[in-house]
Amino acid sequence: MIKPPLPANEEARLQLLHELNLLDSEADPLYDSITAFAQQLFGVDTAIITLVDEHRQWFKSVQGFDLPETPRDISFCGHAITQQTTMIVEDASQDERFHDNPLVAANDGIRFYAGVPLTLNDDLNIGTLCLIDSRPRQLSPQQQQWLEGLAAWVVHDIVQHYELENFAAEREVLAQGPVAAVVWQLEPDVHLVYAAENVERILGYSADYLLDLEINYESIVHPDDQQQLLDQMQLVLDGIQPSLEIEYRVVPPSQHMRWVKHFARADLDRHGKVMRVRGYLYENTSRKQLELDLLNANQSFELALAAGDLSTWDWNLAEGTVSVNHTWDKILNRDSSFAQNNGWAELIHPADIATAKSQLIEHLQGHSERFEARIRLQHADGHYIWLHTVGKAVERNASGRVTRMVGIHHDVTEQVENELKQHQQEAILSLVSQVQHEFLFVEHFSEVCDIALPELMSLSQSKLGFIGELPEQSRHRNMLRVHGYVNRLNGSQQATQALIRQGLEVVVSGSVVSEVLLRGDPELCPYPVAQDELKFTPIELPQLDNAIMLPLYFKREVVGLLILAHSARGYFREDLAWLQPMLDTLGTLMHIRRIDQERRFVVEELRRMATRDELTGVANRRVFLEAAQQRKDESERYDLPMSVAIIDLDFFKKVNDSFGHAAGDEVLREFCRLAKQQLRDTDLLARLGGEEFGILFAHAELAQAMQGIERVRKAIAEHHFNWDDKRIPVTISAGVAQLVSADPDVDKWVARADEALYLAKEQGRNRAIAAS
């Protein structure tokens, strides 16, 4: 037998399989209908939809086969998923890969197999739709085409179900953020079919109002903007363009007009036809008003020039002197010496020199009508001011060389800073949307921070960034779980990033950072940050010239910390405003992450409680009987030996009566610990009730099982059980039975072992008896 090889993309294939959340899921009527139809259509013994994980092939739907799964090492489908085409085995007994496979060698074993890989994302095969028969067979080309068509149907349903689940999760996260999600349907007519609960904060209209069939969405839009919106939406609906980005005015009832930023994109089916249109809305009235103010300011520039409101300059290029209609100390707090020998050029910011020089040369050579540039000049106290300067050559010498230019300049520092704020606001909202989307798909929250943190550092010109989360219900608030850490002041951080993925925690100390975490107020540090103000252990922070430390909230509770540090431009109180949407988003996502972790813990605890004996920690009676039934089915199908032992602790009532129930409980726990040491990993120990236990010996004949139970009996008899410095004598009696064809069910099999147990008690206890 040849074991199935691993596909080249095994890691990505398994990641997708687990992401789909199909393994061990409930039965699906559609898939059961498909396998039942395939079984009848092709006239085979068995039709199965399989999913192949690391160790097994699990059956999502099966007709004509009793087991829910089989090991991957003996599976045909393990071979099929390594191919990109249908795998057909006409006679497995003649195939070197399968002729000695236990599934083939068994009575009425597999002879014919045909499996179509279930392929997602072009090359990731998560399982198969397969046919199995106990007789050699062939498939005609037409039959193969039918089988592949059914497999394509299964793949389409899996993809559609996955997309719907992700869409619902996306809606839930977005509904709590600053961006509102909406969805339009196309059939039978275009109409809004979904609006997030936060849409009223954005538009001023409730979701119920917008979803009313009598209401058209464009009716809430300002009349001057309606046609532009309808035209842009029509292009998306017709598939001419995949998305749109538009700004328009909304007129809420009895409120001031609002500006809304609207992003939308079309969802396409596999044929490229538009199915629906998703939209994302956020209010940007303040930013738009600022933009309009700036536009009006630019439009009035010519009027201001005519009225003489702007400053003028006169540059004599031959002499290298410049004269202005204001004093130099008015805008730069410098004396007039910089007017001589082009000294003013020394004040230009290094980053602006090349652009200004290029624009000047273009004009001096006659390639542009005028010289125009934005440049920064250094103030006497060290900061820079922005000047918008426009000039024109007015004199030339005999050779045509420009000797004089005149122009005007205007202080636009505030305007540039407003543009920067506008850019920051747009960038942060875009980043918020990206982070919210990414959160739905990633496994580790640190991957979300890998996206957010570098962008935040870029917008604030920082060289160090940190995102950490407080443990839930933390009192001292001196410990943080690291989700993001970027340090561009030092070299490689691969080791640190690996620790973050593993759950790196740091001890936080320092007067400033402790106040941020305890009081929940942001802190600006415009000065170098000392170790007694900020320190992480074991991370060693470099010397920081400045920093901003920001608490992350969820419903007024501090849940984490964001630090940006070592910025060339410094940090200001205004930074809190444009950072706020990201702070809210990170705090909310941290809370959602906590809730998801708690849910997983509860599910795991419920699973443990349902399958484990609370006192001893071993399997309970229900799990034991289910496992026994599985072993019985496995034995009947593959002709493998199975044995069971039923055990009683001898005279256990005397232990409780003489030493107390606490001592009895400890004896039961110690028995389980000793017994598991003597058993194989494949053997199952379970508490059936009181002092009665069972052991399921997998693939063991009666003699092997007797050897195993004898090891347990001897270990118990030789062990010193003590309680309050008193020795408790403990022995066991056991009955062992191998599964035989005469056992009609598990109850009869276990009953024979139970009869042997009573025989062991009658013969004096402290012994194991084999059932006849």
Side-chain angles (χ1 to χ4, degrees), residues 333-401:
N333 196 26
R334 296 181 183 274
D335 58 42
S336 60
S337 63
F338 289 93
Q340 307 298 321
N341 301 319
N342 293 333
W344 56 273
E346 300 174 5
L347 304 178
I348 299 177
H349 193 288
D352 300 336
I353 292 175
T355 301
K357 186 176 181 180
S358 173
Q359 295 291 332
L360 178 61
I361 292 174
E362 282 282 308
H363 178 62
L364 293 178
Q365 293 180 348
H367 301 312
S368 61
E369 183 178 351
R370 64 181 182 177
F371 161 71
E372 183 172 3
R374 275 187 178 184
I375 58 174
R376 283 167 285 183
L377 293 181
Q378 190 178 43
H379 194 275
D381 65 9
H383 77 275
Y384 284 87
I385 66 166
W386 281 92
L387 290 182
H388 182 195
T389 181
V390 180
K392 190 175 181 64
V394 295
E395 290 183 5
R396 297 178 182 269
N397 59 19
S399 62
R401 187 182 183 89

Side-chain angles (χ1 to χ4, degrees), residues 45 67 437 542:
D45 297 338
L67 295 181
H437 279 78

Side-chain angles (χ1 to χ4, degrees), residues 352-616:
D352 300 336
I353 292 175
T355 301
K357 186 176 181 180
S358 173
Q359 295 291 332
L360 178 61
I361 292 174
E362 282 282 308
H363 178 62
L364 293 178
Q365 293 180 348
H367 301 312
S368 61
E369 183 178 351
R370 64 181 182 177
F371 161 71
E372 183 172 3
R374 275 187 178 184
I375 58 174
R376 283 167 285 183
L377 293 181
Q378 190 178 43
H379 194 275
D381 65 9
H383 77 275
Y384 284 87
I385 66 166
W386 281 92
L387 290 182
H388 182 195
T389 181
V390 180
K392 190 175 181 64
V394 295
E395 290 183 5
R396 297 178 182 269
N397 59 19
S399 62
R401 187 182 183 89
V402 176
T403 58
R404 183 180 171 216
M405 288 182 65
V406 296
I408 53 126
H409 59 236
H410 175 50
D411 186 344
V412 293
T413 303
E414 183 177 355
Q415 176 182 337
V416 173
E417 290 177 349
N418 287 337
E419 290 174 355
L420 175 61
K421 291 177 183 177
Q422 176 183 332
H423 167 71
Q424 288 174 329
Q425 291 168 353
E426 292 179 347
I428 206 72
L429 288 175
S430 175
L431 181 59
V432 164
S433 179
Q434 182 183 3
V435 164
Q436 289 175 337
H437 279 78
E438 193 68 22
F439 178 76
L440 302 174
F441 304 105
V442 300
E443 180 178 355
H444 300 289
F445 187 66
S446 57
E447 295 180 36
V448 172
C449 297
D450 288 344
I451 295 172
L453 196 53
E455 287 295 323
L456 293 175
M457 291 172 61
S458 176
L459 290 171
S460 60
Q461 300 179 29
S462 303
K463 293 186 178 179
L464 183 139
F466 173 88
I467 297 176
E469 180 181 2
L470 280 168
E472 190 170 9
Q473 298 177 342
S474 172
R475 292 185 178 180
H476 301 294
R477 304 199 173 193
N478 61 349
M479 181 75 73
L480 288 171
R481 177 170 183 174
V482 184
H483 290 306
Y485 178 62
V486 178
N487 177 6
R488 292 177 178 149
L489 296 170
N490 292 345
S492 173
Q493 300 180 74
Q494 291 184 354
T496 303
Q497 296 303 321
L499 291 174
I500 291 174
R501 291 291 190 276
Q502 297 170 16
L504 174 63
E505 293 186 341
V506 297
V507 177
V508 183
S509 59
S511 57
V512 177
V513 70
S514 297
E515 283 296 301
V516 173
L517 292 172
L518 290 171
R519 293 203 327 264
D521 295 328
E523 285 286 347
L524 292 173
C525 303
Y527 46 78
V529 182
Q531 278 203 348
D532 60 359
E533 295 176 312
L534 170 63
K535 184 178 181 181
F536 292 154
T537 306
I539 295 178
E540 185 175 345
L541 295 176
Q543 177 61 48
L544 304 175
D545 288 349
N546 45 42
I548 183 170
M549 307 180 197
L550 304 167
L552 302 177
Y553 278 96
F554 180 78
K555 292 186 177 179
R556 300 184 180 180
E557 177 191 357
V558 177
V559 295
L561 176 70
L562 168 67
I563 295 178
L564 299 171
H566 213 90
S567 171
R569 69 172 183 82
Y571 301 99
F572 307 95
R573 184 64 57 178
E574 293 79 8
D575 291 330
L576 299 177
W578 66 266
L579 281 168
Q580 194 60 50
M582 180 52 69
L583 300 180
D584 294 341
T585 297
L586 289 174
T588 300
L589 295 185
M590 282 183 180
H591 174 75
I592 293 174
R593 174 184 166 276
R594 285 181 178 180
I595 295 300
D596 186 58
Q597 284 184 327
E598 291 174 1
R599 178 189 64 78
R600 294 183 184 182
F601 174 79
V602 169
V603 170
E604 186 60 34
E605 184 64 14
L606 290 174
R607 182 181 291 111
R608 186 194 66 78
M609 293 172 61
T611 59
R612 293 290 164 183
D613 175 60
E614 185 175 356
L615 175 64
T616 63

